[in-house]
Amino acid sequence: MLNDSVHSHPPFARRAPRTARLQGFAFLTTLLLGLALLIPTASADDLAKMKDEVQQYTLKLADLEKDDEEKGAIKELKLCQLWLNEAQAQLVRDEEDLAGKNLRRVSIAVEMIAALIENAKAERSALDRESAAISMKQKMQDAKIALEQAQAEKRRLISETNDAPNGGS
Amino acid sequence: MHTTPLTRNAAVVLLTLAVASVALACSTPPKPRSLVEFEAMRTDKYTKHVRELKENEKLMTASDDFYTLALEAYDDEEMERVDEYSLLGSMRYRNAWAIARQKDAEQRLSDANRKVIDYQGQLAEYEKTAAEVQQTIGALRKAKGLQASLNDKELEAQTDKAAMEAKAADQKARTDAEKLITEAKVRLARADGLEAGKFAPRNYGMGANLLKGAEKFFDDSKFEVAAKQGKDAIELLDKAIEEAEPKFAEQQKIVDRDKLNKELFDEADKSFRELVKIDGRGVVITVDSAFKPNKTKIEGSKFGQLDIVTDLASKYTNYLVLIEGHTDDRGNAAKNITISQARAEAVKDYFLRRGIKAERIQVAGKGGDDPRFPNKGKERARNNRVDVVFLYK
């Protein structure tokens, strides 16, 4: 499930054309003033929610880091951790917008990192198996050569037996 | 209005700067790096494959949406938002890319698994066939080993047979050589007995040398050569014997004659003393004064001596008896011959009477030409005599 609420955070809000934007701005100002009393409550909920997200992402990143045995997403994990740390710090400073922006990044990055790690695992498995296939192919070819040599030896012995003065029947 | 070149050049520069400033002010700003990289990502050759995956549909839609937003922000020249949307879009794209790669890796894994199974199958097949072939090889080698062993035994038997044959041949050669050498030794002994060294020195010497050589070769176990030399020795010694035998017989006869002559002489000597002698013909016994002059009748006193002579003739049968009549030197020679002949005949008659075979007796009249005693005085009469010559046959 994609967490792609692209328009859900102010910094990422889709912007209308400039004339419509001026009209929208007036409407928005009025709406904001009307809702001014409700903001503190809503902001507090968002804050708690974002703090909870930080906690969840922290755990998630720790799991991912542990899961990244192939070290396929080291840079991404570090960058994501950096964003998460920034978001945490921003939440402490009540910079909810900036924190939201970073959490948005973390949210997408976590999914990407999980995919990168799975890909690295799949790559490792594929490489291991391909290596095993190559090794098995070599074994098979060696066995084939050994068989051909044995067959040649068998033919030689049969020929010698037939050529022997008292050999063959 | 008059203007200097310097003033004109400065005006051109200023005008150019002004035009450039206006153009710069009117142009769109350069695309931020984040957007450029995002676009490069989206136009990557792998992107088509990434989009084709159903699992990536939502991710790619989201990435596309962010791209649209980034472009809009770029149109509005809000570079911060361009960076942000490019970042988020890129992450969505990389997410989809990772899933696509994962799918590819899973496909590769599947392919590799299939290959492993295929190869394992082929390996098992080859190993199974190889085991069967090795089993056959083992059987063939065993058979070959048995054959070799059989051949060895045959060879051993042949070798033993050859050794036995060689031994038998050697033994035969030894026996043959031994036999030939023995025969050669017998020949040599016979040749020695015949004094072949003296009578046939060449063949005898060569034969004896060959025999020595044969014995030496025999001692050195060179039996064939020994046999050859033994055979040659026999041939040469046979020649030597053949050559020596008559000569030796002749010599032996002379020896026997001389020996018998000596024996006869010794026995006669006991009775006749100086009247017996050995000459080139044999033993000669003289019966002197056996007749009176001109007479052919035996004096009675002489029969005793004649009896001794006949006894000797009877004993020594290997002799012929030649009776020679003699006279003294008186009278006619021819007449003397006749008288002497008659005298010999008279003695012959007596001998016959005494049992001497006629075929052993010869007679001869010698007349007076062969006096034994001086024809003087009393001795002359002694020449009227007979000489009995014992001739060795």
Side-chain angles (χ1 to χ4, degrees):
Chain A
M1 176 72 182
L2 287 178
N3 190 4
D4 255 353
S5 47
V6 176
H7 310 288
S8 63
H9 295 285
F12 312 135
R14 187 184 293 274
R15 303 192 70 174
R18 201 170 288 271
T19 42
R21 213 183 296 163
L22 290 172
Q23 290 173 353
F25 182 74
F27 172 75
L28 188 62
T29 306
T30 308
L31 185 64
L32 287 173
L33 287 172
L35 296 174
L37 292 173
L38 297 175
I39 289 173
T41 308
S43 179
D45 288 345
D46 287 346
L47 190 63
K49 190 181 173 186
M50 281 192 278
K51 283 182 178 175
D52 188 48
E53 279 182 24
V54 168
Q55 287 296 316
Q56 287 178 14
Y57 285 135
T58 302
L59 294 172
K60 181 70 176 173
L61 280 179
D63 288 344
L64 288 171
E65 195 168 359
K66 196 184 294 179
D67 200 29
D68 188 19
E69 292 174 355
E70 302 300 327
K71 307 297 178 192
I74 293 175
K75 276 166 57 181
E76 288 79 2
L77 279 167
K78 279 184 180 175
L79 190 58
C80 191
Q81 190 65 55
L82 183 67
W83 291 335
L84 192 59
N85 292 342
E86 280 182 3
Q88 198 169 15
Q90 287 159 349
L91 287 174
V92 171
R93 295 195 298 268
D94 290 335
E95 295 171 352
E96 292 172 27
D97 287 351
L98 293 175
K101 180 183 170 185
N102 275 318
L103 284 174
R104 181 63 180 164
R105 287 180 179 177
V106 168
S107 166
I108 293 174
V110 161
E111 287 181 35
M112 178 192 72
I113 288 166
L116 288 173
I117 290 171
E118 287 306 311
N119 175 43
K121 285 181 183 175
E123 284 281 350
R124 170 51 52 202
S125 297
L127 285 172
D128 286 349
R129 205 58 180 160
E130 283 169 341
S131 177
I134 290 168
S135 176
M136 188 56 68
K137 184 179 181 183
Q138 188 61 49
K139 270 189 178 179
M140 181 270 291
Q141 286 173 337
D142 290 347
K144 187 180 178 186
I145 290 167
L147 172 62
E148 287 168 352
Q149 288 173 342
Q151 284 171 331
E153 173 68 3
K154 178 183 160 186
R155 284 194 295 275
R156 187 183 68 77
L157 285 169
I158 288 171
S159 173
E160 279 184 5
T161 306
N162 289 336
D163 291 345
N166 298 320
S169 57
Chain B
M1 183 176 154
H2 179 74
T3 57
T4 64
L6 183 59
T7 308
R8 196 164 54 245
N9 287 344
V12 169
V13 170
L14 286 171
L15 184 59
T16 304
L17 286 172
V19 169
S21 299
V22 169
L24 191 62
C26 294
S27 66
T28 53
K31 281 186 179 177
R33 187 181 169 188
S34 60
L35 182 58
V36 172
E37 290 177 351
F38 186 26
E39 285 181 332
M41 204 179 278
R42 287 167 57 81
T43 54
D44 185 85
K45 58 182 178 182
Y46 192 65
T47 301
K48 188 182 175 188
H49 176 61
V50 174
R51 283 186 185 283
E52 282 171 356
L53 280 179
K54 195 177 178 184
E55 294 90 330
N56 284 341
E57 194 177 336
K58 287 182 180 175
L59 284 167
M60 290 307 290
T61 302
S63 178
D64 291 343
D65 286 347
F66 281 126
Y67 178 63
T68 304
L69 289 172
L71 288 178
E72 286 176 4
Y74 175 65
D75 285 344
D76 294 343
E77 298 179 9
E78 294 181 22
M79 297 307 168
E80 189 181 342
R81 289 176 62 212
V82 170
D83 285 342
E84 190 64 22
Y85 290 134
S86 295
L87 173 65
L88 297 176
S90 295
M91 285 200 290
R92 281 302 182 206
Y93 178 84
R94 285 193 68 201
N95 194 343
W97 175 89
I99 288 170
R101 294 284 297 181
Q102 183 185 341
K103 294 290 175 192
D104 287 349
E106 285 169 356
Q107 184 60 47
R108 282 165 50 210
L109 177 66
S110 174
D111 292 345
N113 274 330
R114 185 177 47 73
K115 284 182 181 176
V116 167
I117 290 166
D118 286 350
Y119 294 150
Q120 277 177 335
Q122 290 180 51
L123 176 64
E125 188 65 29
Y126 287 145
E127 286 178 343
K128 183 186 169 191
T129 310
E132 290 169 359
V133 173
Q134 287 296 348
Q135 199 172 3
T136 307
I137 287 171
L140 285 167
R141 282 183 176 154
K142 191 176 175 185
K144 195 181 173 192
L146 288 172
Q147 186 62 50
S149 175
L150 190 62
N151 289 340
D152 287 348
K153 282 182 182 171
E154 277 182 10
L155 186 64
E156 193 178 343
Q158 285 174 358
T159 307
D160 288 348
K161 189 180 172 189
M164 285 176 68
E165 286 174 355
K167 193 176 176 183
D170 191 59
Q171 186 60 42
K172 187 176 180 302
R174 181 190 178 91
T175 306
D176 289 349
E178 200 168 19
K179 190 177 170 185
L180 288 165
I181 288 171
T182 303
E183 283 183 19
K185 281 181 177 176
V186 170
R187 297 290 203 290
L188 182 67
R190 173 145 178 71
D192 284 338
L194 294 172
E195 296 182 27
K198 182 169 74 181
F199 298 120
R202 188 167 178 275
N203 286 330
Y204 175 85
M206 286 169 65
N209 282 336
L210 281 172
L211 176 58
K212 280 183 186 173
E215 287 178 315
K216 187 173 185 308
F217 282 121
F218 185 84
D219 290 342
D220 293 341
S221 300
K222 295 176 180 175
F223 302 124
E224 288 185 359
V225 185
K228 173 77 169 57
Q229 293 213 357
K231 191 178 175 186
D232 292 344
I234 288 170
E235 285 181 8
L236 287 168
L237 289 170
D238 277 347
K239 285 181 183 176
I241 288 167
E242 190 180 352
E243 189 182 346
E245 204 164 30
K247 294 177 182 174
F248 178 78
E250 186 64 28
Q251 175 186 268
Q252 196 61 39
K253 189 177 176 182
I254 293 167
V255 170
D256 291 346
R257 183 198 66 189
D258 290 347
K259 185 182 172 187
L260 204 60
N261 281 350
K262 178 72 169 54
E263 190 182 330
L264 176 59
F265 175 84
D266 289 343
E267 196 166 345
D269 185 60
K270 291 174 186 172
S271 304
F272 294 94
R273 300 289 176 184
E274 76 278 3
L275 295 177
V276 61
K277 66 175 182 181
I278 296 175
D279 66 9
R281 297 173 298 168
V283 179
V284 181
I285 299 172
T286 298
V287 180
D288 63 337
S289 303
F291 304 93
K292 288 196 184 298
N294 298 317
K295 300 299 181 183
T296 60
K297 184 183 175 183
I298 303 168
E299 287 293 306
S301 60
K302 293 296 175 179
F303 284 109
Q305 288 183 353
L306 289 173
D307 288 346
I308 292 169
V309 172
T310 55
D311 287 344
L312 289 171
S314 298
K315 184 178 179 182
Y316 294 94
T317 55
N318 283 340
Y319 289 89
L320 295 174
V321 180
L322 172 60
I323 302 169
E324 288 180 340
H326 292 273
T327 66
D328 60 28
D329 60 348
R330 290 175 297 184
N332 183 277
K335 190 181 176 183
N336 283 341
I337 290 292
T338 304
I339 290 169
S340 62
Q341 183 76 36
R343 287 174 176 172
E345 291 290 343
V347 173
K348 178 183 175 185
D349 289 343
Y350 184 74
F351 275 23
L352 291 171
R353 284 200 300 275
R354 290 280 295 173
I356 305 301
K357 300 287 184 185
E359 59 265 26
R360 290 183 61 202
I361 303 170
Q362 294 176 0
V363 292
K366 293 291 185 178
D369 292 337
D370 186 14
R372 174 74 185 277
F373 308 101
N375 278 310
K376 292 178 184 174
K378 289 181 181 179
E379 288 295 305
R380 175 178 283 154
R382 295 182 70 185
N383 284 324
N384 294 303
R385 70 186 198 273
V386 286
D387 289 341
V388 180
V389 184
F390 283 80
L391 300 170
Y392 191 80
K393 287 182 185 175

